[in-house]
Amino acid sequence: MSNRYAVILAAGQGTRMKSKLYKVLHPVCEKPMVQHVVDQVSSLGFEKKVAVVGFGAETVQDQLGDQVSYVIQEEQLGTGHAVMQAADLLADKEGTTVVLCGDTPLLTAETINRLLTCHSAEGAKATILTAVAEDPTGYGRIIRNEEGLVSRIVEHKDATEEERNVQEINTGTYCFDNAALFAALKQVGNDNAQGEYYLPDVIEILKNNRETISAYQTPIFDETIGVNDRVALAEAEVIMKRRINEHWMRQGVTIVDPVNTYISTEAEIGRDTVVLPGTFIQGSTIIGEDCVIGPHSEIKDSKIGRESSIKQSVVYNSQVGDNVTIGPFAHIRPDSTIGNDVRIGNFVETKKATLGNGSKASHLSYIGDADIGEDVNFSCGAVTVNYDGKNKFQTKIEDGAFIGCNANLIAPVTVGKNALVAAGSTITDDVPGEALSIARARQTNKTDYLKKK
């Protein structure tokens, strides 16, 4: 958006969080609060975005990278003082500036855009995003005159008893004419209960200059929640989770128990997939159509094909094909690639492993650092022995091979195409294709051993 700018206030330490983690980095549905705000603003294509940072500035910069420009508020002297730190980057520009708080993760691009539209339509120098709160305690109150126009904003601590009964609150999000904003900020004082420079005082200054002040009242109070402690953080998590789950249900996904289903903001899910209770779909996971996920499964940063089932299992940083059955109680560790029509059963673990189309590892197996071809049967209790205490080694099993129960494949080793490894074998040398490999100690029976003993 040409000549439109955003200032994101992210300098507060957040002492009420009682946390070592910088406040705006606390996650809501896995994403830091300030990242939610930046993502919504970024979707509107602002010309410049400025984050005001203070305590823990480096950690915020690590999270946001080059998505925004940065200014430092070294002393926490109020919201007006915070915005003033952006003067070197914005004060000489013509246009519109939106000021947002980095601890409002539920605010949407749609609401920001409506605020901008209202600001433009009314030719205002300042427009306030307001909402009606059932319990307005702690919020600044919107005081209107007899005509219903905004007269001023009063902070809760400075409000009279009558003013505290007002339920229309200041959400802390504003739209300003940029030049008027920075001119008025120079006039803001700190004669108040907190001894701070309040950004809302800009409204009164502009009004005294006979400038137009408008307000857009959002009908969705939940969007405006500012997160200042762990209780509010949990409330935001619930609201965001409900928003995400409702979105996917409207897209044709069945979520059997939305209250107990957790889906990240970055995930994608295909139509007619069923998500069962207790499931976590995390990170940038993509799930195809007609899958059944859960109950009690955890999938993170993975891609799942069509018509696959993942039951009571964990899949991390891996690729899973079409018509795959995983679980119950399987663990697909990072860098695994599971082909189509594969069966991975209970208590099977893979790591940096490729399983070709149609292969099976039905139960009680470990497959690590392995390249397994198509139509391979990896039987119960078989393992790839990939680690000598210092280094990891590769196992290769070619198409059509059959690995018998309780076999140990000591890597590096290759089992050839259509080869058979007998149950109970410990394989230390390559097995040629079409061969039967038996590597067992000779059985000896001691007749009447216990009677003699």
Side-chain angles (χ1 to χ4, degrees):
M1 288 184 177
S2 179
N3 297 326
R4 288 186 173 179
Y5 316 98
V7 176
I8 300 164
L9 306 183
Q13 185 173 355
T15 55
R16 281 180 282 175
M17 281 288 190
K18 293 182 171 55
S19 174
K20 297 182 289 295
L21 183 64
Y22 194 62
K23 181 176 81 164
V24 298
L25 294 179
H26 279 266
V28 174
C29 289
E30 298 186 353
K31 184 187 292 186
M33 291 192 287
V34 70
Q35 187 68 66
H36 280 288
V37 176
V38 170
D39 286 351
Q40 295 301 311
V41 171
S42 296
S43 70
L44 295 172
F46 279 47
E47 185 174 327
K48 194 173 190 65
K49 303 181 290 291
V50 180
V52 182
V53 295
F55 175 84
E58 299 81 4
T59 55
V60 176
Q61 291 173 350
D62 288 344
Q63 172 63 40
L64 299 179
D66 59 3
Q67 299 174 73
V68 299
S69 301
Y70 300 92
V71 294
I72 304 292
Q73 185 188 23
E74 294 181 354
E75 293 184 87
Q76 309 301 299
L77 300 178
T79 52
H81 179 260
V83 175
M84 197 63 190
Q85 307 314 300
D88 287 346
L89 296 179
L90 297 178
D92 62 346
K93 297 184 181 298
E94 296 294 327
T96 303
T97 295
V98 177
V99 179
L100 313 98
C101 298
D103 61 0
T104 53
L106 300 170
L107 190 63
T108 64
E110 291 78 9
T111 295
I112 298 170
N113 198 42
R114 291 189 188 107
L115 176 67
L116 284 161
T117 300
C118 175
H119 180 78
S120 176
E122 298 193 14
K125 291 294 183 180
T127 303
I128 310 153
L129 180 65
T130 74
V132 174
E134 185 174 333
D135 178 7
T137 303
Y139 289 97
R141 305 304 203 278
I142 300 298
I143 307 303
R144 294 181 180 267
N145 61 22
E146 294 80 2
E147 290 79 32
L149 301 176
V150 175
S151 173
R152 63 193 180 99
I153 303 171
V154 59
E155 296 298 316
H156 179 87
K157 292 180 180 179
D158 301 316
T160 65
E161 197 63 37
E162 182 181 357
E163 289 168 339
R164 290 186 180 186
N165 290 329
V166 173
Q167 289 185 287
E168 186 179 13
I169 57 98
N170 173 25
T171 68
T173 298
Y174 309 88
C175 213
F176 293 102
D177 173 88
N178 189 70
L181 167 65
F182 285 98
L185 280 170
K186 295 177 182 178
Q187 304 175 50
V188 172
N190 65 343
D191 184 18
N192 51 62
Q194 293 291 94
E196 294 184 349
Y197 299 88
Y198 290 147
L199 181 60
D201 288 352
V202 168
I203 304 298
E204 188 168 355
I205 291 169
L206 293 175
K207 185 175 181 298
N208 291 338
N209 291 337
R210 299 183 183 278
E211 302 289 3
T212 300
I213 308 298
S214 66
Y216 170 69
Q217 187 182 105
T218 176
I220 309 172
F221 172 75
D222 287 349
E223 279 195 27
T224 69
I225 290 174
V227 176
N228 291 311
D229 58 25
R230 308 280 183 147
V231 174
L233 184 69
E235 291 173 357
E237 180 86 13
V238 169
I239 294 166
M240 182 69 76
K241 179 164 68 74
R242 183 173 66 241
R243 181 189 296 177
I244 293 168
N245 290 351
E246 287 178 357
H247 165 78
W248 287 115
M249 287 187 284
R250 290 192 176 99
Q251 298 302 311
V253 176
T254 295
I255 300 178
V256 174
D257 184 0
V259 173
N260 292 299
T261 299
Y262 305 84
I263 302 172
S264 86
T265 58
E266 308 300 318
E268 297 179 24
I269 308 175
R271 288 190 302 175
D272 293 316
T273 284
V274 177
V275 183
L276 297 171
T279 292
F280 289 75
I281 299 173
Q282 301 171 293
S284 300
T285 293
I286 299 174
I287 298 174
E289 297 182 357
D290 301 297
C291 293
V292 178
I293 309 297
H296 305 293
S297 290
E298 185 176 336
I299 305 172
K300 184 173 183 178
D301 293 323
S302 297
K303 185 174 181 179
I304 314 298
R306 297 168 55 95
E307 300 178 351
S308 291
S309 170
I310 301 175
K311 181 179 182 181
Q312 293 165 316
S313 296
V314 175
V315 181
Y316 270 21
N317 297 93
S318 294
Q319 306 284 318
V320 176
D322 299 337
N323 195 35
V324 173
T325 302
I326 295 176
F329 312 119
H331 189 183
I332 310 301
R333 290 170 57 193
D335 300 317
S336 294
T337 301
I338 313 300
N340 300 328
D341 305 304
V342 171
R343 161 66 177 157
I344 294 178
N346 53 295
F347 304 106
V348 173
E349 180 179 342
T350 71
K351 188 272 295 183
K352 277 190 179 179
T354 298
L355 277 75
N357 297 340
S359 290
K360 294 182 293 183
S362 295
H363 33 221
L364 300 167
S365 297
Y366 172 69
I367 306 171
D369 297 287
D371 182 4
I372 296 177
E374 297 185 359
D375 299 313
V376 170
N377 187 86
F378 205 86
S379 299
C380 177
V383 299
T384 60
V385 185
N386 59 330
Y387 184 48
D388 67 359
K390 292 183 178 180
N391 299 299
K392 301 288 181 70
F393 297 95
Q394 186 83 3
T395 297
K396 183 173 182 180
I397 304 173
E398 297 181 353
D399 296 351
F402 186 100
I403 310 301
C405 292
N406 204 36
N408 298 306
L409 306 179
I410 312 296
V413 70
T414 296
V415 177
K417 187 174 182 179
N418 296 323
L420 173 62
V421 173
S425 295
T426 296
I427 303 299
T428 58
D429 299 316
D430 292 349
V431 179
E434 311 290 339
L436 167 63
S437 183
I438 305 174
R440 305 170 180 157
R442 187 178 299 276
Q443 180 174 333
T444 301
N445 293 332
K446 302 289 187 179
T447 306
D448 295 329
Y449 173 78
L450 290 179
K451 290 180 180 179
K452 293 176 182 178
K453 188 174 182 180

